[in-house]
Amino acid sequence: MDQVKIGSFIKELRKEKGLTQEQLAEQFQVSRRTISRWETGSNLPDLDLLIEMADYYDVDLREILDGERKSEKMDKELEETVLKVADYSNEEKQKLTRRMHWLFIGGFIAAVIYMILVFSDRADNFLGGLCLGITFGMMIVGVIMTSKYAARLRAFKMRLLHRK
């Protein structure tokens, strides 16, 4: 797969519609810099975005992935299979995010317990240290993991709701 060729094709499609990078970024709820990275070939859109782009530009998904126009239309079964793969991928991301939210909640509960121990002057024991460790550990892990995936999940949900 030639990312530069795909990026050039994405840029060509955008220009055919007479759109700026900012307008396209707004359409797909990404940043203008993300569009620029796609068009230079340094990054590629996620699969669900590629499918949405194919619908938006009224081109075949294979055309985008090949970086050139084809004469035949995409087989409906192939498109359904690709959509199923995208759904599966997003379900896995949702499961991970739910797990991380539970860990984050656990860290928050440990923080509340630690604060109660601090205000009652009993935070100098094993339970206080354990609660403090859990609090910081879970919050750090929660922030790192959810910051990467939560934004993508929210954007995907918005695209799905907007499409239907």
Side-chain angles (χ1 to χ4, degrees):
M1 204 163 46
D2 186 355
Q3 286 185 290
V4 174
K5 188 175 179 183
I6 294 169
S8 296
F9 188 62
I10 291 172
K11 183 177 184 176
E12 178 185 323
L13 292 170
R14 175 181 59 81
K15 288 190 174 195
E16 284 177 8
K17 281 233 182 208
L19 298 173
T20 65
Q21 287 183 341
E22 289 84 10
Q23 291 168 326
L24 188 62
E26 188 176 309
Q27 172 67 32
F28 292 110
Q29 298 176 355
V30 295
S31 69
R32 187 211 55 81
R33 189 171 182 190
T34 299
I35 299 294
S36 176
R37 287 181 182 151
W38 293 347
E39 291 182 355
T40 60
S42 61
N43 275 346
L44 285 178
D46 288 338
L47 183 59
D48 57 313
L49 268 174
L50 283 172
I51 293 168
E52 190 173 338
M53 288 175 83
D55 289 341
Y56 181 74
Y57 289 124
D58 195 30
V59 296
D60 211 33
L61 181 59
R62 287 183 292 183
E63 290 177 316
I64 293 178
L65 293 174
D66 290 339
E68 60 188 19
R69 294 201 183 270
K70 305 281 183 195
S71 60
E72 74 273 357
K73 283 289 184 188
M74 182 178 189
D75 184 53
K76 196 67 176 167
E77 289 179 19
L78 178 61
E79 184 177 357
E80 288 175 8
T81 301
V82 170
L83 286 170
K84 286 178 186 176
V85 169
D87 287 342
Y88 175 77
S89 173
N90 286 313
E91 284 176 19
E92 290 300 313
K93 288 178 184 177
Q94 286 175 341
K95 286 179 186 177
L96 177 63
T97 301
R98 265 188 251 121
R99 288 182 191 135
M100 294 312 302
H101 285 167
W102 281 110
L103 289 173
F104 195 77
I105 290 168
F108 182 75
I109 291 170
V112 170
I113 293 171
Y114 181 73
M115 293 306 292
I116 291 170
L117 291 172
V118 166
F119 287 124
S120 64
D121 290 330
R122 291 191 239 166
D124 298 351
N125 58 20
F126 175 76
L127 182 60
L130 180 67
C131 287
L132 188 60
I134 290 172
T135 298
F136 284 117
M138 291 302 110
M139 287 191 174
I140 289 170
V141 169
V143 166
I144 290 170
M145 294 301 288
T146 57
S147 67
K148 181 178 178 185
Y149 295 108
R152 288 184 181 173
L153 283 172
R154 266 187 256 115
F156 177 72
K157 287 178 188 176
M158 293 305 293
R159 286 191 302 273
L160 282 180
L161 292 174
H162 182 68
R163 186 185 303 177
K164 290 182 179 181

